[in-house]
Amino acid sequence: NLCIHLEKFMMEQILLDPRYRPVLSIIKALRNGLMYGLKIRLPHSLIMTFLFHDGSIKTKLEYIIRATIQHGKNLAIFGVIYKSIGLLLQRIWGSNHPIHTYIAAVTGGYFAFGTNNPINMQVNMYLLSRISVGLSRLAVKKQIIPQPKFNIFPLFAIAVWGVALLLFEYHPDTLQPSLQNSMSYLFHQSTVWHGITDFILYNSESLW
């Protein structure tokens, strides 16, 4: 017990030493990337796979595990690259600068999320939607465009859903498979039933 307490004390001394904070922050970024990927991807993959994917239980579980590992690994890789380059540039120039953030982020984005696969596509599309809204708010904040004098959210909803359904109905191949599956479940499979059972209790083409 004494040895354990001594080791814990020494470890905490290292963790709290400002000299080691830059390197330790990279390790913590690695840890947080893995854990965040696990927390986000596991429940999402679990639900979407069992709702929309065909195959045996084993095949579905293998896919869920692969997707979860890939998501966590990519976030961890990005975190390590982003923190490492940012700290390196800060050490070279002696201060932080927005261009340092951009260089670190684009490098991490290339190596962690630059491969075209379903996980990376979903993450990148998620970010694209968020930064589109963020850039519009920044434009208002910097007075590049005027602050709207009315509630523009209904117009935003109209544009998003109008385009989404036009693409789905007439050019579905341009949409991500996951979005196609969701739209099909909501709007195409809702026109198919053979009786009270698959009208209320379950869907014709999937479990629910």
Side-chain angles (χ1 to χ4, degrees), residues 189-204:
Q189 296 179 30
S190 60
T191 64
V192 179
W193 62 87
H194 304 91
I196 187 68
T197 306
D198 62 351
F199 185 82
I200 296 177
L201 298 182
Y202 64 85
N203 196 53
S204 298

Side-chain angles (χ1 to χ4, degrees), residues 1 8 14 29 34 42 61 64 68 71-72 79 82 87 99-100 108 116 163 176 194:
N1 289 338
K8 181 181 178 182
I14 294 173
L34 290 171
L42 182 59
L61 290 176
I64 292 168
T68 301
H71 197 155
Y82 176 73
L87 290 168
I99 191 62
H100 299 165
N116 189 357
V163 173
Q176 282 184 276
H194 304 91

